[in-house]
Amino acid sequence: MTDRLVLNWDLDGFCDEQHYYCSETPFTTITKPSVKAIFLGDIRTYTDNTAIESGKTYYVAIGSVKNNTEKLSEVREVFAGGDPYWSNVVALLRFENGIIDD
C-alpha cells in the first residue's frame, strides 16, 4: 500500500531555496497551491508521507527560488498505488527467466 511519494529531481545551477507543491488537482504557475515544504538549495530528493492516500492521483512540482524569483518545474501527474491500468491487463508475460503468468 502506497502512503508516500518519493521524489528525485535535478537542478541546473544554484538556488537559495526550493518549494515543493502537491495537489489533487492540476495547477499552473498562476494557480499553484500553497507551499507544502521548503528545502535548502542543495536538496535533490524528498519523501512526502503527509496525507498521501493509495489510489489517488497527485500533481507535484518543485519551484527553485533565487533572489526572491521563483521558477516552477513542470507539473507532473503521479498516481499513488501502482499501475492505474492494471485492471485492463489481460496477460502479463515475463520472459527474463522463463514464462511467469501473473
Side-chain angles (χ1 to χ4, degrees), residues 20-37:
Y20 166 60
Y21 299 95
C22 181
S23 174
E24 291 183 29
T25 58
F27 60 90
T28 66
T29 56
I30 297 169
T31 64
K32 64 187 176 203
S34 60
V35 176
K36 194 166 183 182

Side-chain angles (χ1 to χ4, degrees), residues 24-58:
E24 291 183 29
T25 58
F27 60 90
T28 66
T29 56
I30 297 169
T31 64
K32 64 187 176 203
S34 60
V35 176
K36 194 166 183 182
I38 297 176
F39 314 120
L40 296 176
D42 61 346
I43 300 296
R44 299 295 183 268
T45 185
Y46 177 68
T47 300
D48 181 355
N49 54 10
T50 58
I52 302 299
E53 297 179 31
S54 182
K56 285 191 172 183
T57 300
Y58 295 92

